[in-house]
Amino acid sequence: MARKIIIDTDPGQDDALAILLALASPELDVLGIVAVAGNVPLPLTQHNSLKIAELAGKPQTKVFAGASKPLVRPLVTAEEVHGRTGLDGPDLPEPVMKLHKQHGVDFIIETLLHEAAGTVTLCVLGPLTNIALALNKAPEIASRIQEIVLMGGGFFEGGNITPTAEFNFYVDPEAAKVVYASGVPIVMMPLDVTHKALTTAKRIEAFRSLGNKVGDACVAMLEFFERFDEEKYGTDGGPLHDPNVIAYLLKPELYSGRHCNVEIETASELCLGMSVIDWWGVTKRPKNAIVMRDVDHEGFFTLLTERIATL
Ligand code: BDR
Ligand code: CA
């Protein structure tokens, strides 16, 4: 039976590729996509979520709008990376699909209460606002979540929006704190993993050679998305973050890491949103997340390209 997932997301070109990968994979049953404010404001992330579901040829996908701002802080966005629309690059048609009326947080709660306990995984590709709101509103869902697999944080690699913080955690550190304190099993894809998954020229050519509409859209998204990080890091290609969350569900053997304690910094001005990872077990704090550190990046891109070829 396909694994049931909810994708919580702020598309974002890398979010878009993650959504495409999930919708292309028969092992996964995407119960819904919930947009959150992050890379760009909510009206754009919800609109982009609809565009991507249509691009995948899956207009029956349920798409919801979630939170429009972090729990307590003003929203920080990343147009310099993702462009004004959040999905700059391809020329995608206006979506015909409509958003579902229910609030995304209520959809998450209702789904977890309705489905059998331990059978729904939350795949989180943006700030953790919606998940924290759901856990705060209905704490009884915590024990019913199979797993939270998320992109966020960084340790040996440091941060990408400040020297110590990764964007998703920086935007809503209080929400990340709620999630890491929830007791829900967490698998974490930090920058240490995603910075090894580079969109090299050869890998972009592989999408181009698919010769289909979705492959061409991926090329346009990636060519736009990578320019910022290529300049910043001086690499061939930029890090492809969010699809690692979905690839882990399909092929966990591509990843290796360690069960650790992770705490989120919410008080410090300098280190706000930092993921403090006790990799060496120097504290007695409880282990609350599997922190991935390595990825078979060739295997990851092969999987991604093969699946997108089927759309
Ligand atoms: C994360 O921040 C966003 O810009 C990306 O979509 C990804 O989820 C990387 O730090
Ligand atoms: Ca994202």
Side-chain angles (χ1 to χ4, degrees):
M1 214 173 63
R3 183 166 176 175
K4 292 177 194 146
I5 66 169
I6 294 174
I7 301 178
D8 194 274
T9 179
D10 62 337
Q13 294 87 350
D14 62 323
D15 300 72
L17 267 88
I19 294 168
L20 292 171
L21 176 60
L23 292 177
S25 295
E27 303 95 320
L28 301 177
D29 178 6
V30 182
L31 301 179
I33 297 176
V34 183
V36 68
N39 287 322
V40 284
L42 183 67
L44 289 167
T45 60
Q46 66 194 36
H47 193 68
N48 293 343
S49 299
L50 295 169
K51 277 186 171 178
I52 298 302
E54 276 193 18
L55 174 66
K58 310 275 180 183
Q60 71 284 9
T61 309
K62 294 181 185 168
V63 180
F64 302 83
S68 61
K69 57 178 172 48
L71 295 188
V72 295
R73 293 172 194 277
L75 178 65
V76 176
T77 53
E79 284 86 356
E80 69 284 11
V81 183
H82 300 273
R84 197 184 46 79
T85 66
L87 209 57
D88 281 19
D91 191 13
L92 296 174
E94 282 304 299
V96 177
M97 284 169 67
K98 298 276 175 266
L99 282 177
H100 278 248
K101 294 245 174 323
Q102 189 180 25
H103 193 283
V105 170
D106 293 328
F107 166 73
I108 293 172
I109 294 172
E110 204 179 280
T111 305
L112 286 162
L113 295 179
H114 173 259
E115 298 287 341
T119 63
V120 177
T121 295
L122 303 182
C123 298
V124 191
L125 314 177
L128 285 148
T129 319
N130 289 334
I131 314 305
L133 286 170
L135 286 165
N136 285 344
K137 189 170 176 185
E140 67 274 25
I141 64 171
S143 61
R144 305 182 65 87
I145 301 171
Q146 183 175 359
E147 200 171 36
I148 295 176
V149 185
L150 62 87
M151 189 281 137
F155 52 128
F156 296 106
E157 190 72 11
N160 60 356
I161 179 130
T162 74
T164 56
E166 177 280 330
F167 179 79
N168 291 337
F169 287 6
Y170 180 79
V171 172
D172 201 344
E174 284 75 16
K177 199 180 181 87
V178 168
V179 170
Y180 277 86
S182 68
V184 178
I186 297 173
V187 176
M188 173 177 178
M189 294 291 167
L191 296 174
D192 303 82
V193 165
T194 67
H195 279 197
K196 294 181 177 117
L198 295 174
T199 58
T200 61
K202 196 169 150 226
R203 288 164 176 170
I204 291 191
E205 278 320 300
F207 284 110
R208 202 188 310 276
S209 65
L210 296 180
N212 65 8
K213 186 178 71 173
V214 187
D216 290 346
C218 289
V219 172
M221 283 192 268
L222 294 177
E223 285 185 335
F224 183 89
F225 177 59
E226 68 178 3
R227 88 218 176 286
F228 181 87
D229 283 334
E230 280 184 320
E231 194 178 319
K232 180 173 168 192
Y233 301 117
T235 45
D236 172 15
L240 191 56
H241 308 284
D242 294 339
N244 284 284
V245 166
I246 307 297
Y248 168 75
L249 297 181
L250 299 169
K251 281 198 163 192
E253 65 275 17
L254 294 175
Y255 297 89
S256 60
R258 198 180 274 190
H259 202 196
C260 300
N261 172 267
V262 180
E263 304 291 335
I264 311 299
E265 178 58 60
T266 56
S268 155
E269 203 179 312
L270 265 181
C271 300
L272 184 68
M274 180 179 181
S275 48
V276 180
I277 298 173
D278 189 5
W279 184 260
W280 302 112
V282 296
T283 72
K284 295 280 177 287
R285 294 196 285 256
K287 296 178 178 180
N288 57 353
I290 297 176
V291 181
M292 294 304 177
R293 188 169 174 187
D294 270 305
V295 55
D296 167 357
H297 45 88
E298 282 300 342
F300 164 70
F301 275 96
T302 302
L303 173 70
L304 189 57
T305 317
E306 278 175 4
R307 293 301 171 96
I308 283 174
T310 66
L311 287 173

